């Protein structure tokens, strides 16, 4: 049966954080920043002993760690600049450390996977004054140039070099190596629908998969694209974690999109869970990009303004989203005549 996870962007979780997660019925914690793990700043990759201490602490509250993040590949690596080989070495060592710690889903980030930025962000005000992230193609008047074919090929060459090293390690340490779709999913972004196909064509390993982001993919093609991709990648066992959010509009249909509360967008979230269940998905559902409700604080990161990216204790939006997903999973279990819960 599917479980619930939330993303945090730091490792120094307080007792308040962990108690609230337990009280809300969260099962797992996902760690979204590779640089946040103890040891990364000092040596370039996580320290195993401190990582195990962190996991023991999380488990003492009835939770566990789910997805973790490798050190980033920066522009230095993607442009093959002097010293870039150290980044690949650090990610390789991180795979080994996470595998030894029993953390079996890792995400790798690549600089440039979301460029160029063709949309202009804005504050989307929705029912009752709720605030969400919006992005529009039409509002961006001075659009940057698209990458040339040569630049596109260089990105894929560097991606291939990284994965040729990381995939065998993932297999050796029984780790799922994943990427997240490009967000925002503008035309020409590398990890869109075609990019996902290229990845599994080049690396058909059972240890290669995706953090499947429902919201990002809906922004590229709406509900029908999401359902088709879940069916396609789910049947191949390539969905390792699901980011669940609802959106209004899409770039192809409206030239814009707005994130929305789970019950207030274009997607039927329960149908999405049914489709995931149909293809045998039993991983975590992670409600992400939380709409800001009255009393909640706006995210200070301007790259994600008006969107709750990481967990915040006592956030009404987080509490709403987690409760909504728990209710849907309970309904799904009842629908199937099974039991859900602890």
């Amino acid at each position: 049966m599917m479980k619930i996870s939330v993303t945090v962007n730091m490792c120094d979780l307080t007792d308040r954080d962990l108690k609230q997660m337990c009280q809300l019925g969260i099962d797992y914690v996902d760690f979204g920043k590779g640089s946040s793990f103890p040891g990364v700043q000092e040596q370039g990759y996580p320290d195993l002993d401190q990582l195990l201490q962190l996991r023991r602490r999380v488990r003492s509250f009835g939770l566990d760690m789910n997805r973790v993040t490798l050190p980033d590949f920066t522009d230095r690596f993607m442009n093959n600049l002097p010293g870039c080989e150290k980044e690949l070495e650090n990610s390789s060592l991180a795979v080994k450390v996470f595998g030894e710690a029993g953390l079996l889903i890792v995400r790798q980030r690549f600089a440039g996977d979301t460029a160029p930025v063709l949309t202009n962000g804005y504050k989307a005000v929705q029912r009752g004054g709720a605030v969400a992230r919006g992005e529009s193609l039409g509002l961006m008047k001075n659009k940057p140039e698209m990458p040339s074919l040569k630049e596109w090929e260089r990105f894929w060459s560097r991606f291939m070099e990284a994965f040729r090293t990381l995939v065998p390690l993932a297999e050796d340490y029984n780790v799922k190596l994943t990427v997240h779709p490009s967000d925002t999913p503008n035309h020409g972004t590398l990890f869109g629908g075609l990019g996902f196909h290229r990845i599994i064509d080049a690396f058909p390993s059972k240890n290669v998969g995706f953090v499947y982001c429902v919201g990002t993919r809906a922004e590229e093609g709406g509900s029908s694209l999401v359902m088709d991709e879940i069916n396609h990648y789910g049947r191949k066992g390539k969905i390792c974690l699901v980011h669940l959010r609802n959106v209004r509009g899409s770039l192809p249909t409206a030239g814009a999109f707005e994130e929305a509360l789970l019950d207030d967008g274009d997607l039927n979230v329960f149908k999405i869970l049914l489709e995931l269940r149909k293809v045998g998905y039993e991983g975590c559902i992670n409600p992400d990009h939380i709409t800001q409700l009255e009393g909640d604080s706006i995210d200070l990161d301007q790259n994600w303004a008006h969107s709750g990216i990481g967990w915040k204790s006592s956030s009404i939006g987080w509490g709403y989203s987690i409760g909504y997903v728990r209710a849907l999973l309970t309904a799904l279990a009842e629908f199937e005549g099974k039991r859900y819960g602890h």
Side-chain angles (χ1 to χ4, degrees):
M1 179 60 70
M2 289 173 269
K3 300 293 186 180
I4 298 174
S5 66
V6 294
T7 299
V8 299
N9 289 321
M10 70 291 189
C11 289
D12 54 341
L13 296 170
T14 66
D15 285 357
R16 179 181 181 178
D17 289 321
L18 294 166
K19 285 180 179 178
Q20 286 189 4
M21 289 179 188
C22 178
Q23 291 165 0
L24 287 170
I26 294 166
D27 302 292
Y28 290 90
V29 183
D30 296 325
F31 290 79
K33 290 185 70 173
S35 60
S36 68
F37 289 102
V40 174
Q41 297 299 324
E42 297 79 13
Q43 62 187 17
Y45 57 93
D47 178 82
L48 178 58
D49 289 339
Q50 294 184 75
L51 183 63
L52 290 172
Q53 290 176 21
L54 173 63
R55 190 178 187 193
R56 281 195 292 270
R57 182 161 183 271
V58 171
R59 295 177 81 172
S60 72
F61 285 83
L63 310 163
D64 205 346
M65 295 172 64
N66 181 47
R67 186 267 295 186
V68 292
T69 304
L70 300 173
D72 292 354
F73 284 128
T74 68
D75 287 324
R76 170 176 289 190
F77 178 84
M78 300 311 293
N79 291 302
N80 199 19
L81 299 176
C84 68
E85 64 277 359
K86 187 65 176 176
E87 294 187 13
L88 182 53
E89 179 183 340
N90 287 338
S91 275
S92 299
L93 290 169
V95 170
K96 295 178 182 180
V97 170
F98 286 134
E100 289 172 355
L103 301 172
L104 305 182
I105 304 175
V106 302
R107 174 189 175 183
Q108 181 66 70
R109 296 175 182 269
F110 292 84
D113 76 286
T114 59
V117 177
L118 301 178
T119 53
N120 192 77
Y122 64 93
K123 178 180 178 180
V125 180
Q126 299 174 1
R127 73 181 186 208
V131 174
R133 166 192 173 211
E135 292 198 20
S136 168
L137 289 167
L139 293 177
M140 176 67 77
K141 301 304 180 184
N142 299 314
K143 293 181 171 58
E145 292 185 7
M146 297 291 291
S148 66
L149 178 59
K150 184 177 181 180
E151 291 172 319
W152 185 89
E153 289 176 340
R154 183 178 70 239
F155 182 100
W156 277 106
S157 174
R158 300 300 290 159
F159 170 84
M160 294 287 287
E161 181 170 343
F163 262 45
R164 278 194 291 266
T165 298
L166 296 177
V167 170
L169 287 172
E171 293 170 341
D172 289 343
Y173 286 84
N174 192 33
V175 167
K176 297 285 189 179
L177 178 62
T178 70
V179 297
H180 183 286
S182 296
D183 187 357
T184 303
N186 290 304
H187 300 307
T189 48
L190 280 302
F191 294 151
L194 291 177
F196 268 22
H197 283 291
R198 291 188 187 100
I199 290 170
I200 61 174
D201 286 344
F203 299 98
S205 169
K206 293 180 180 179
N207 291 76
V208 173
F210 305 119
V211 174
Y212 187 80
C213 181
V214 169
T216 303
R217 303 308 300 138
E219 292 157 12
E220 182 167 317
S223 179
S224 60
L225 176 66
V226 170
M227 300 297 276
D228 287 345
E229 288 188 338
I230 288 175
N231 186 278
H232 179 80
Y233 295 119
R235 290 184 183 279
K236 292 185 175 183
K238 296 300 180 182
I239 299 178
C240 302
L241 171 64
V242 172
H243 282 178
L244 184 66
R245 68 177 182 262
N246 214 330
V247 298
R248 299 173 174 180
S250 68
L251 295 177
T253 58
F257 66 83
E258 295 180 357
E259 297 173 351
L261 290 164
L262 288 172
D263 70 308
D264 202 32
D266 296 341
L267 307 178
N268 184 322
V269 178
F270 189 60
K271 282 187 176 181
I272 290 170
L273 295 182
L274 285 172
E275 192 70 16
L276 287 165
R277 188 72 190 97
K278 186 176 77 175
V279 299
Y281 178 73
E282 294 185 342
C284 284
I285 303 296
N286 179 308
D288 76 334
H289 289 218
I290 302 302
T291 299
Q292 306 294 312
L293 303 183
E294 187 68 24
D296 288 345
S297 59
I298 298 296
D299 202 304
L300 298 179
D301 185 343
Q302 289 305 302
N303 292 324
W304 306 104
H306 316 306
S307 187
I309 303 301
W311 160 267
K312 292 181 181 178
S313 62
S314 297
S315 162
I316 300 171
W318 275 103
Y320 160 85
S321 296
I322 294 158
Y324 193 88
V325 174
R326 278 191 64 84
L328 290 182
L329 291 178
T330 301
L332 181 60
E334 181 69 21
F335 182 75
E336 296 181 326
K338 296 181 180 179
R339 181 181 175 214
Y340 173 73
H342 297 284

